[in-house]
């Protein structure tokens, strides 16, 4: 198993957001995680990436059998985890290309591979840029600075293509994209699908999943995976919205909690 | 990035009432008076120096005797305590030629149109290089110019840097032994930069049993004639780590009509040194002057920059970068005076502070009555890398014209946590991520440096100073 999440509980500022997540993703698979706003989707992505504001109170995350929670964010990246940010950060003064070269070489060094020189890197970059139809002018610019929303998301996929992670987590990469940009991003992701790589695609809307067809779909409500299924589950959610499933989950919770309340 | 709290305060103008100098100042002043008598008596030049220099020295010393060292009760020195400097007894530059070798100097030099080297306050002709310069240009020692062409020096010496209310300009005017004199006639263009290199050997006084620290008073004068063009780099450096000494330079510039002057000052004194500098410039019609102040060394450092935009359509750029740590203190006191209409002044100063370092930026823009269409911009941005570092920023506007555009802003902030996390999530280590962002913050100024060896040296300094600098080197 490439990614194993076991009974994951996580809080931010003392408030529990994830309340027992179990998820197993195998190499070559694409899993979609859907859910209403506030269900904990982005929290899950950030916990996977190692953002410090999120405190894991219980549970385990294993990446290729290694304890991810024991690692700093950079170690996770070097171990093959990648997160495409929902809101990529603008970093004035840091060149998009040179920074990526330093990142790639940090990853390669960790993997025991030879560091790339400027020429090798440039030819790699040219090739990967085509994947997301990125304009070469974006290479020389500072990271994400002055990029449009679509350019930022494409840049995330471009970073992913260069770093070649084993596990890629896409956090609402579709948000704010028009249909053309969405297609480009999805094509980029599809080109990177391989038997050695797994994807966790976090999205609110089913639309992206028309282009990145998932093997499994999970529905997150109130910090728990309440339903899992095939790609048809996404279509059902698209048609019916999230309300029915939320009501079903919360109704069940209320009725099961009711006797306890009475008993007290 | 690096802008968390936006502080934009306008300072109250406290009246600098005539506060009596603290008791130790009287003592300090009398020491300097005695030193002056001896200085004048012992120098062979005293007999031959032109009378205007003799007068300047005496008047400046009288002025110093009157005002003494500034106290923190004075508005302009509120944040700068010069007591550690004032309580030390110094020795003045000797007459013996320096024992510094070319090999010691060469790491500090680069290919320039002319390199004038001064060691411990004395011009070192053997270490200097004077290449081919356009006809009529003088680039050499001020002492030499005073001996050979005093009439070219006389109108300018002391014309911009006033000793009247400034103890350090006064001391410099009284005690200067040498410095550079650059004189460009009308239309002279020097393409390659001229390098003025001031080295402190850190050697104790030869035969001086009590080994007092050395006090040096470099005096530079740059006169750019009409439509001339020159690029000047002033470097202050120490050949001995942690040497204690005092450098008190004054540089005056007169930029003639339509002239272009690019000036750089790189301060890399020993971390135990005192450096109190004044840069005073006057610009005539349609001249363009840029000056970059790079302050990396020194323990207690002050840079007074006084710009007088005295001709219509003149353009001034004043930028700076200070990068300090430990217990270093760096103060930039800027006064930009718009005297004529249609002038532009843009100031950008950035500071990176680590450890217990402290910085002061005091930026006054004064727009005189009638200086319409003034376009003045001033910005000071500080990045604090430690919780014990303190940056004071105090922009001031005094505007007496009604059709002007003046803006100022200052920020003090820390590195952006989101940016650090973003870089780490791509595999860059935490320390390298912080260094990379720090470099990016400083690079804004670094990139504006047009003299390549100066820019490269500064980049190398940053790579060496920042943790994981080798990652930064390949990521920028």
């Amino acid at each position: 198993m490439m990614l194993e999440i076991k009974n994951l509980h996580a809080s931010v500022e003392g408030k529990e957001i994830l309340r027992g997540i179990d998820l197993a993703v195998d190499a070559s698979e694409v899993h979609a995680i859907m859910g209403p706003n506030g269900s904990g989707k982005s929290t899950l992505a950030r916990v996977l990436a190692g953002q410090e504001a999120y405190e894991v109170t219980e549970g385990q995350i294993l990446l290729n059998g290694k304890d991810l929670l024991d690692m700093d964010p950079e170690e996770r990246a070097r171990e093959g985890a990648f997160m495409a940010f929902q809101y990529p950060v603008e970093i004035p003064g840091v060149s998009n290309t040179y920074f990526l070269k330093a990142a790639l070489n940090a990853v390669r060094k960790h993997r025991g591979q030879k560091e790339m020189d400027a020429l090798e890197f440039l030819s790699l970059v040219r090739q990967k840029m085509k994947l997301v139809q990125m304009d070469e002018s974006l290479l020389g610019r500072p990271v994400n600075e002055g990029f449009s929303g679509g350019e930022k998301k494409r840049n995330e996929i471009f970073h992913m293509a260069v770093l070649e992670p084993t596990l890629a987590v896409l956090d609402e990469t579709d948000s704010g994209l028009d249909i053309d940009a969405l297609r480009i991003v999805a094509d980029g992701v599809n080109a990177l699908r391989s038997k050695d790589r797994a994807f966790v695609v976090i999205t609110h809307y089913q639309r992206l999943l028309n282009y990145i067809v998932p093997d499994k779909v999970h529905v997150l409500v109130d910090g728990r995976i309440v339903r899992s299924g095939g790609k048809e589950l996404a279509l059902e959610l698209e048609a019916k919205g999230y309300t029915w499933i939320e009501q079903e989950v919360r109704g069940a919770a209320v009725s099961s909690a009711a006797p306890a309340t009475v008993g007290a | 990035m690096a802008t968390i709290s936006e502080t934009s305060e306008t300072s109250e103008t406290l009246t600098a009432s005539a506060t009596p100098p603290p008791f130790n100042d009287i003592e300090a002043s009398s020491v300097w008076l005695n030193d002056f008598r001896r200085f004048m008596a012992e120098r062979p030049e005293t007999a031959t120096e032109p009378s205007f220099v003799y007068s300047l020295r005496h008047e400046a010393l009288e002025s110093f005797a009157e005002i003494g060292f500034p106290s923190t009760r004075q508005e302009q020195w509120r944040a700068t305590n010069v007591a550690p400097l004032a309580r030390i007894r110094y020795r003045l530059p000797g007459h013996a030629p320096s024992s510094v070798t070319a090999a010691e100097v060469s790491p500090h030099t680069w290919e320039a149109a002319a390199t004038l080297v001064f060691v411990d306050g004395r011009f070192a002709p053997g270490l200097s290089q004077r290449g081919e310069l356009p006809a009529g240009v003088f680039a050499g020692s001020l002492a030499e110019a005073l001996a050979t062409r005093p009439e070219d020096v006389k109108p300018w010496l002391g014309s911009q840097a006033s000793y009247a209310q400034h103890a350090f300009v006064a001391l410099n005017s009284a005690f200067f032994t040498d410095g550079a004199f650059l004189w460009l006639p009308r239309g002279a263009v020097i393409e390659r930069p001229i390098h003025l290199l001031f080295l402190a050997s850190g050697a104790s006084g030869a035969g001086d049993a009590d080994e007092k620290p050395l006090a040096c008073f470099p005096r530079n004068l740059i006169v750019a004639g009409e439509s001339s063009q020159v690029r000047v780099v002033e470097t202050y450096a120490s050949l001995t780590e942690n040497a204690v000494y005092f450098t008190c330079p004054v540089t005056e510039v007169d930029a003639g009509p339509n002239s272009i002057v690019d000036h750089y000052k790189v301060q890399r004194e020993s971390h135990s040194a005192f450096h109190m500098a004044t840069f005073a410039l006057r610009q005539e019609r349609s001249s363009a002057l840029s000056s970059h102040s790079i302050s990396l060394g020194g323990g207690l450092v002050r840079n007074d920059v006084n710009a007088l935009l005295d001709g219509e359509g003149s353009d001034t750029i004043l930028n700076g970068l200070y990068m300090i740590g430990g217990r270093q203190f760096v103060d930039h006191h800027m006064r930009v005076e718009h005297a004529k209409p249609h002038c532009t002044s843009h100031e950008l100063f950035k500071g990176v502070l680590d450890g217990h370092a402290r910085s002061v930026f005091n930026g006054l823009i004064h727009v005189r009555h009638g200086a319409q269409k003034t376009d003045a911009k001033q910005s000071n941005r500080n990045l604090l890398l430690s919780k014990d570092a303190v940056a004071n920023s105090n922009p001031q506007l005094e505007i007496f014209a009604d059709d002007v555009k003046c803006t100022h802003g200052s920020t003090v902030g820390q590195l952006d946590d989101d940016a650090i996390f973003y870089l780490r999530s791509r595999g860059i280590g935490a320390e390298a991520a912080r260094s990379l962002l720090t470099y990016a913050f400083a690079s804004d100024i670094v990139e504006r440096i047009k003299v390549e060896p100066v820019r490269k040296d500064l980049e190398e300094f940053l790579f060496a100073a920042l943790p994981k600098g080798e990652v930064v080197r390949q990521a920028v």
Side-chain angles (χ1 to χ4, degrees), chain B residues 34-50:
Chain B
N34 285 331
D35 282 348
F36 185 69
R37 267 177 227 120
R38 215 169 48 194
F39 170 74
M40 293 300 270
E42 287 174 6
R43 313 171 58 233
E45 295 92 337
T46 302
T48 54
E49 242 169 23

Side-chain angles (χ1 to χ4, degrees), chain A residues 49-52 72-74 77-78 82-83 85 91-94 98-99 101-103 105-106 115 144 156 159, chain B residues 1 416 418-431 436-437 439-441 443 447 471 474-476:
Chain A
Q51 204 152 51
E52 277 165 16
D72 286 332
E74 58 270 31
R78 293 167 194 173
F82 178 90
M83 181 172 82
F85 280 53
I91 311 182
V94 176
Y98 294 138
F99 135 69
K101 178 168 163 259
N105 279 336
E115 293 191 23
N144 294 320
E156 293 293 281
H159 285 184
Chain B
M1 55 153 275
D416 180 355
D418 289 338
I420 294 173
F421 178 67
Y422 186 81
L423 295 173
R424 292 178 75 186
S425 80
R426 297 294 187 257
I428 307 261
E431 221 174 19
L436 192 50
L437 293 171
Y439 186 92
F441 177 83
S443 69
E447 281 161 13
V471 179
Q474 73 160 294
V476 295

Side-chain angles (χ1 to χ4, degrees), chain B residues 43-308:
Chain B
R43 313 171 58 233
E45 295 92 337
T46 302
T48 54
E49 242 169 23
S51 63
F52 70 87
V53 178
Y54 183 86
S55 312
L56 174 69
R57 292 189 190 280
H58 275 271
E59 284 159 22
L61 191 82
E62 274 167 35
S63 179
F64 175 75
E66 208 173 291
I67 58 177
F69 283 109
S71 89
T72 51
R73 278 171 287 176
Q74 282 161 266
E75 172 62 16
Q76 292 305 313
W77 295 87
R78 216 163 32 145
T80 314
N81 183 8
V82 303
L85 168 168
R87 72 167 74 98
I88 293 179
R89 306 280 174 264
Y90 300 93
R91 68 188 161 88
L92 293 164
H95 305 288
S98 78
S99 56
V100 168
T101 63
E104 287 175 280
V105 174
S106 69
H108 300 274
T109 59
W110 29 266
E111 183 80 24
T115 305
L116 306 179
V117 181
F118 299 83
V119 180
D120 294 340
R122 291 277 170 192
F123 182 52
L127 300 170
S128 301
Q129 304 266 322
R130 277 195 263 191
E132 291 272 309
L133 292 170
V137 169
F138 182 88
S141 124
L142 177 65
E144 181 195 330
L146 282 172
T148 58
R149 46 197 298 165
E151 70 288 350
D152 286 338
V153 180
K154 190 180 176 186
W156 312 108
L157 188 68
S159 65
Q160 298 314 315
S162 164
Y163 55 73
Q165 287 302 319
H166 202 293
F168 297 102
V169 174
L171 284 178
N172 177 289
S173 303
F175 287 100
F176 73 86
T177 42
D178 212 340
F181 179 57
L182 304 184
W183 198 85
L184 284 88
R186 185 176 168 174
V189 174
I190 309 176
E191 282 172 22
R192 284 187 305 157
I194 290 178
H195 190 194
L196 315 180
L197 177 58
F198 298 88
L199 293 171
S201 71
S204 54
D208 197 346
D210 55 356
E211 293 190 6
K212 284 186 277 191
L214 181 72
C216 271
F217 301 91
R219 183 75 180 218
N220 303 312
L221 188 52
I222 301 165
V223 182
E226 185 171 350
S227 301
S228 65
Q229 198 173 321
V230 67
R231 196 168 269 184
V232 185
V233 179
E234 274 179 66
T235 303
Y236 295 86
S238 173
L239 295 177
T240 311
E241 235 176 286
N242 294 320
V244 179
Y245 57 90
F246 172 32
T247 313
C248 183
V250 171
T251 298
E252 294 178 286
V253 176
D254 193 279
N258 201 38
S259 64
I260 299 174
V261 178
D262 286 327
H263 171 260
Y264 299 86
K265 178 180 173 232
V266 183
Q267 185 274 108
R268 297 187 68 170
E269 305 272 29
S270 124
H271 282 209
S272 304
F274 305 102
H275 183 95
M276 300 273 133
T278 297
F279 179 60
L281 64 101
R282 174 175 165 265
Q283 286 184 249
E284 297 183 55
R285 177 185 282 267
S286 301
S287 61
L289 182 141
S290 73
S291 177
H292 289 72
S293 169
I294 309 298
S295 209
L296 310 172
L300 173 60
V301 175
R302 164 105 168 191
N303 280 302
D304 278 39
V305 177
N306 299 314
L308 175 61

